[in-house]
Amino acid sequence: MNMIQAINSAMDVMMERDPTVIVMGEDVGFFGGVFRATAGLQAKHGKNRVFDTPITECGIIGVAVGMGAYGLRPVPEIQFADYIYPALDQLVSEAARLRYRSAGEFIAPMTVRSPFGGGIFGGQTHSQSPEGIFTHCSGIKTVIPSTPYDAKGLLIAAIEDNDPTIFFEPKRIYNGPFDGHYDTPATSWAGHKDAQVPTGYYRIPLGTARIARAGEALTILCYGTMVHVVEDTVRTLGIDAEIVDLRSLVPLDIDTIEASVKKTGRCLIVHEATRTSGFGAELSAQVQERCFYHLEAPIARVTGFDTPYPHSLEWAYFPGPVRIREAINKIMKD
């Protein structure tokens, strides 16, 4: 399966297992979603369980909060992560706090799916990576897969979770892994080991990172599309780097991160979101607090810039192989 098919399969499996699972959002029903992630679900499960909503992100999430409080497990889709901002009040003030403010009487077991990130020339309104905003809000879990296999297992775990979860899907790798070389032909998930996705039920617990590549010389922390860009860059350089695919930002598998950095003595953080207050800053702080006496060089970050995502200069903004290679060479010399 490619990532779109894996995500579709996860929702299908959960709707078969649990009659309280509801899929909702703009164009998710008859049309099957702009990326086809919900294709066929309405025909199979009916219009009462897979339905289109008005173009109102605040309303979509507000309704989902109410559904969760009354015992359903909604899976709302925000068509692009850039348009999740109108829903922030419902997510932060209502969904994230419902369990706390009701002393556990009510919960908001909702999984908000949303394509995010650049690499498709979406410009400033279809390329943003707002994950850092949600990792700052207590009560919300934030999950980002990098492979079809992980996408299905993590999405099933998120739907089963009793807390609200933001499930960001890296749209640049929906149809195949991306090594950051935009001027070469696109590749497909076909034949990739991480595209071997079981058709039935399985779950990957939230808060468990994946060692995408074992190594001894350097730890690289990344997630989503950046996992594949980093893997190709490391392979090209021939450096013995350990690549940690976080998969889940909140909850964070800090034990795996700590063990890796203590082993290698160096740490590079790569993400596509803007640099200031990006999730890399939190990672850097936690690594410094836990691994200071093991570090042999300053922690480094390769990120997006503190600007809107540019259309014409997309590949200057995108943390590609050139910038990652420069950072690796520097950190290994320090």
Side-chain angles (χ1 to χ4, degrees):
M1 299 183 191
N2 62 28
M3 190 176 286
I4 294 172
Q5 294 166 329
I7 289 166
N8 182 284
S9 179
M11 289 184 283
D12 185 30
V13 166
M14 287 308 298
M15 294 187 82
E16 287 183 338
R17 289 171 60 93
D18 187 347
T20 67
V21 176
I22 305 294
V23 173
M24 56 192 287
E26 300 162 13
D27 298 318
V28 302
F30 178 80
F31 185 65
V34 292
F35 292 102
R36 315 305 293 160
T38 56
L41 295 182
Q42 186 181 80
K44 181 175 182 179
H45 299 284
K47 295 181 179 179
N48 289 331
R49 297 186 65 196
V50 183
F51 57 87
D52 297 321
T53 66
I55 302 176
T56 167
E57 288 77 15
C58 179
I60 293 169
I61 301 304
V63 168
V65 172
M67 285 180 167
Y70 275 86
L72 298 177
R73 289 186 178 273
V75 186
E77 178 186 294
I78 301 298
Q79 205 164 82
F80 288 88
D82 313 62
Y83 299 115
I84 204 168
Y85 302 119
L88 275 180
D89 183 50
Q90 290 294 328
L91 285 167
V92 176
S93 301
E94 306 299 337
R97 301 179 184 179
L98 187 59
R99 182 199 291 271
Y100 180 87
R101 72 191 295 184
S102 68
E105 185 175 353
F106 295 102
I107 57 175
M110 54 192 287
T111 302
V112 184
R113 294 182 40 253
S114 191
F116 91 125
I120 64 166
F121 284 101
Q124 64 175 353
T125 57
H126 293 81
S127 303
Q128 295 173 61
S129 299
E131 66 271 15
I133 294 173
F134 298 99
T135 62
H136 179 72
C137 300
S138 302
I140 296 178
K141 296 178 179 178
T142 306
V143 178
I144 302 174
S146 68
T147 68
Y149 181 87
D150 284 358
K152 180 174 179 177
L154 291 168
L155 182 54
I156 286 175
I159 294 172
E160 291 181 331
D161 199 279
N162 284 335
D163 288 318
T165 301
I166 308 296
F167 193 89
F168 282 129
E169 301 164 5
K171 54 183 177 287
R172 185 60 180 81
I173 57 173
Y174 264 156
N175 292 299
F178 179 55
D179 59 13
H181 297 282
Y182 60 90
D183 52 353
T184 60
T187 58
S188 167
W189 282 113
H192 196 285
K193 62 181 179 61
D194 292 318
Q196 305 305 311
V197 180
T199 57
Y201 172 91
Y202 69 94
R203 71 194 307 274
I204 297 173
L206 305 185
T208 56
R210 175 179 72 99
I211 303 298
R213 182 190 187 280
E216 302 286 338
L218 164 68
T219 296
I220 304 179
L221 308 179
C222 49
Y223 49 88
T225 302
M226 291 299 109
V227 173
H228 304 281
V229 180
V230 167
E231 282 183 322
D232 183 77
T233 305
V234 165
R235 185 165 49 249
T236 301
L237 279 175
I239 189 169
D240 187 26
E242 181 152 291
I243 302 172
V244 181
D245 176 5
L246 301 185
R247 299 200 292 197
S248 173
L249 309 190
V250 177
L252 179 67
D253 186 358
I254 189 61
D255 292 337
T256 294
I257 294 171
E258 181 177 356
S260 178
V261 175
K262 285 182 176 179
K263 177 178 66 172
T264 66
R266 289 177 167 83
C267 181
L268 172 64
I269 299 164
V270 183
H271 65 64
E272 194 176 341
T274 51
R275 184 180 184 87
T276 301
S277 299
F279 191 66
E282 174 65 22
L283 290 172
S284 179
Q286 292 213 33
V287 169
Q288 194 275 345
E289 290 167 0
R290 293 166 177 264
C291 307
F292 178 78
Y293 293 107
H294 294 80
L295 289 171
E296 299 177 18
I299 302 167
R301 288 181 287 166
V302 179
T303 70
F305 298 118
D306 291 340
T307 70
Y309 213 117
H311 183 273
S312 61
L313 298 174
E314 170 138 25
W315 301 116
Y317 182 100
F318 188 90
V322 172
R323 290 170 57 198
I324 295 172
R325 183 171 62 248
E326 290 174 349
I328 290 175
N329 289 335
K330 184 178 186 304
I331 198 172
M332 294 307 296
K333 291 178 181 177
D334 285 343

